[in-house]
Amino acid sequence: MATTPFHVSLNNLSHVFTDGRIPLSAIEDVSLRVPTGQFLSIIGPSGCGKSTLLRIVGGLLRPSHGEALVSDETPAAAQKHREIGFVFQDPALLPWRNVLSNVRLPLEIGGNGHSHERPTAEGLLELMGLTDFRGYYPHQLSGGMQQRATLARALAIDPSLLLMDEPFGALDEITRSAMRYELLRIWGSTDRRKTVLFVTHSIAEALVLSDRVIVLSGRPGRIVADLDVELERPRTQDIERSPAFLDYSDYLRGLLKDAA
Ligand code: ADP
Ligand code: MG
């Protein structure tokens, strides 16, 4: 486990893609320390390297320069030890498996690294309000339900770190805004509070959810702001009308305009 108070440490990360016609610098000199249990959002213009950054932290991509550490080990090792859960924009549920069996999938694949007991698939479905839909197949679910099932699947390995890349980006606005409060409820209800790195386009989503928001510049993405969100928890929909919330929103909107 971590010997530093930081769950995620990024040290001077840069990444250049060299598989295209010309080398493309996606992120540049990103350094960041994320304490255990922090909910951190990453916002920035489209194409500024947010997904690239998340893929590096998740061990899916090796950076050209610099180093990423998760619980003091490489992301690849942390992933092998099942410390990292992913939720992407596309639900990526297996269409031939029903909800329960999709959520069970990572448990069937096995692996170890945890000494404590994992949540059960049934318990996770209960938490997500999907118990009555356990026998349904992905195509029989709404987009919001599919994303809740995907989140349940990510939580099945009880990861200490959750990486979410625009998880609600494909949902309609009403479902999307409901999902942020759902996620808060779920995040607050797990035994070990998970560290979350959450990529979003939505300023409101970032503010409602986060302890802290990082703003990236346009490509190559660099950190241009690092903001602590000091809004009281638990947060409910009312918060989006509070003066403090609106101040934070204006501030971030200004930064994003400059960053683009
Ligand atoms: P964001 O998630 O912020 O929209 P990405 O991290 O997906 O941005 O992409 C950052 C930049 O890197 C973009 O210009 C994108 O075209 C480029 N890029 C992403 N993945 C690859 C890849 N596998 N090969 C080449 N270029 C890529
Ligand atoms: Mg992206």
Side-chain angles (χ1 to χ4, degrees):
M1 273 322 261
T3 54
T4 70
F6 298 111
H7 194 167
V8 177
S9 294
L10 309 181
N11 300 311
N12 309 103
L13 281 188
S14 296
H15 192 73
V16 180
F17 287 105
T18 51
D19 48 352
R21 253 186 325 118
I22 47 164
L24 185 143
S25 177
I27 55 168
E28 197 164 272
D29 202 26
V30 171
S31 293
L32 186 65
R33 313 242 174 285
V34 186
T36 300
Q38 186 165 68
F39 200 119
L40 174 104
S41 285
I42 300 165
I43 61 176
S46 179
C48 76
K50 302 181 294 297
S51 296
T52 302
L53 188 61
L54 222 59
R55 288 173 61 208
I56 292 172
V57 178
L60 304 175
L61 180 68
R62 199 193 274 267
S64 327
H65 301 284
E67 176 194 56
L69 290 172
V70 175
S71 303
D72 286 331
E73 43 182 15
T74 63
Q79 207 205 344
K80 194 158 156 247
H81 296 143
R82 319 198 89 192
E83 289 294 339
I84 306 178
F86 296 95
V87 182
F88 299 120
Q89 183 166 325
D90 297 324
L93 296 166
L94 297 178
W96 59 87
R97 284 181 164 238
N98 68 24
V99 169
L100 180 63
S101 140
N102 261 289
V103 174
R104 276 193 181 141
L105 180 67
L107 302 171
E108 289 168 15
I109 292 167
N112 47 36
H114 279 310
S115 49
H116 61 276
E117 214 165 307
R118 291 210 178 89
T120 63
E122 288 81 0
L124 286 166
L125 290 183
E126 176 92 53
L127 180 67
M128 303 295 161
L130 286 174
T131 301
D132 292 346
F133 299 91
R134 49 193 277 158
Y136 281 51
Y137 288 84
H139 75 273
Q140 298 171 312
L141 302 176
S142 70
M145 290 159 93
Q146 288 185 27
Q147 266 322 37
R148 276 189 277 152
T150 306
L151 180 57
R153 190 179 59 185
L155 294 176
I157 57 166
D158 200 19
S160 55
L161 175 65
L162 200 53
L163 302 179
M164 307 186 81
D165 193 350
E166 308 204 35
F168 310 142
L171 304 177
D172 64 87
E173 192 50 41
I174 292 176
T175 308
R176 180 172 187 161
S177 73
M179 284 299 285
R180 41 185 96 126
Y181 294 95
E182 253 318 70
L183 176 58
L184 275 184
R185 178 180 66 79
I186 290 155
W187 179 62
S189 69
T190 52
D191 288 346
R192 299 186 303 155
R193 173 142 306 185
K194 295 177 193 316
T195 308
V196 185
L197 266 57
F198 188 95
V199 166
T200 179
H201 271 117
S202 160
I203 291 174
E205 200 164 271
L207 285 174
V208 166
L209 289 167
S210 310
D211 298 312
R212 180 180 173 198
V213 178
I214 297 290
V215 182
L216 295 183
S217 68
R219 194 168 55 77
R222 288 171 235 229
I223 296 177
V224 293
D226 184 344
L227 175 75
D228 286 324
V229 182
E230 283 160 4
L231 298 169
E232 238 174 86
R233 293 188 189 273
R235 297 174 184 169
T236 57
Q237 215 120 29
D238 298 338
I239 207 171
E240 296 185 44
R241 289 189 300 270
S242 73
F245 188 93
L246 298 173
D247 284 349
Y248 278 125
S249 292
D250 287 346
Y251 176 66
L252 288 175
R253 196 164 297 116
L255 284 171
L256 278 179
K257 210 185 280 169
D258 296 341

